[in-house]
Amino acid sequence: MTELPLFPLQTVLFPGGLLSLKVFEARYLDLATTCLRERRPFGVVALRRGQEVRRGDEAVVLEDIGVVAEILDLDGAQPGILQLRCRGLQRFRIERTRQQADGLWIGEVELLPDDEAVAPAEATLETVRGLANAIASLKGKGVEPFEQPYHFESAGWVANRWCEILPIPLAAKQRLMELPDALVRLGLVDEFLRGQGVVK
């Protein structure tokens, strides 16, 4: 068990994924500066219910599984606002939470194992190629969505990158992120892409 400050968001962070955050609430400004100064990570967890910005006594319900994040760089050019660029590291399961007086959530968490290093199944190789094509297309538009080096040889990496860019509901992304088997996750992504006609 370990304690992590939590950042609840209307998004799902995946291990190996990049996340840009605009921080302006005092509790998160303090969190960001402390994590940067002490080189400590924090936890990103999707909201099952509630809003990112604090609103009185509104009920907030967090998902049970989130991802540890580290800050890669920070831009404080605007007064009172920080732009953070973060990277997802490892999944965790929340066992207990408490909320500080300033509203910051603290989770007592269990770190979960990384995806097993397995190659994509032969049946999903078109989906692997499809991701390479999607990256090339995005780069052609001046967008660099993923951190290099790319790991097309990893079923988990390919599945996670697809999950980040697919237009699927937040709850679906959460369920996919939670799956402990990378081959099953990639198989579901492959099935979705074939169903949409993205992959033949």
Side-chain angles (χ1 to χ4, degrees):
M1 290 288 179
T2 186
E3 277 203 343
L4 269 182
L6 300 177
F7 206 128
L9 293 170
Q10 298 276 7
T11 191
V12 176
L13 177 62
F14 284 78
L18 295 174
L19 176 68
S20 294
L21 287 174
K22 184 178 182 180
V23 177
F24 52 88
E25 286 190 82
R27 55 181 166 165
Y28 297 129
L29 290 169
D30 291 345
L31 166 64
T33 50
T34 300
C35 286
L36 201 66
R37 184 177 62 247
E38 299 178 6
R39 298 185 179 278
R40 282 173 44 204
F42 60 94
V44 170
V45 60
L47 283 157
R48 197 179 297 167
R49 192 166 74 235
Q51 302 296 317
E52 292 178 0
V53 178
R54 197 174 180 181
R55 292 186 184 164
D57 295 329
E58 182 187 33
V60 170
V61 180
L62 309 178
E63 291 287 356
D64 296 328
I65 294 179
V67 169
V68 178
E70 65 177 349
I71 299 172
L72 297 176
D73 49 59
L74 175 152
D75 178 4
Q78 287 180 271
I81 297 175
L82 291 177
Q83 298 278 359
L84 307 180
R85 188 165 161 272
C86 311
R87 178 200 291 130
L89 299 175
Q90 183 177 4
R91 287 171 301 187
F92 61 82
R93 178 181 289 107
I94 299 174
E95 300 297 335
R96 275 176 290 280
T97 59
R98 59 184 168 84
Q99 202 170 14
Q100 295 182 166
D102 63 358
L104 183 70
W105 288 93
I106 304 293
E108 196 173 314
V109 308
E110 175 193 3
L111 296 175
L112 299 175
D114 291 329
D115 281 337
E116 198 177 335
V118 288
E122 195 169 335
T124 62
L125 290 183
E126 279 304 314
T127 286
V128 177
R129 278 191 279 273
L131 181 62
N133 293 338
I135 291 171
S137 175
L138 288 166
K139 278 188 167 182
K141 296 171 184 169
V143 178
E144 177 64 82
F146 311 129
E147 190 175 37
Q148 295 195 45
Y150 304 142
H151 294 285
F152 295 110
E153 77 289 351
S154 162
W157 186 90
V158 172
N160 290 352
R161 302 299 75 81
W162 263 124
C163 289
E164 288 166 357
I165 59 175
L166 283 176
I168 56 176
L170 186 71
K173 291 196 184 208
Q174 177 70 26
R175 300 291 88 81
L176 285 162
M177 183 271 286
E178 290 178 1
L179 282 171
D181 189 319
L183 288 173
V184 170
R185 195 182 317 128
L186 183 56
L188 289 170
V189 169
D190 180 78
E191 193 178 302
F192 175 83
L193 292 171
R194 289 178 191 278
Q196 297 294 308
V198 177
V199 168
K200 298 277 188 275

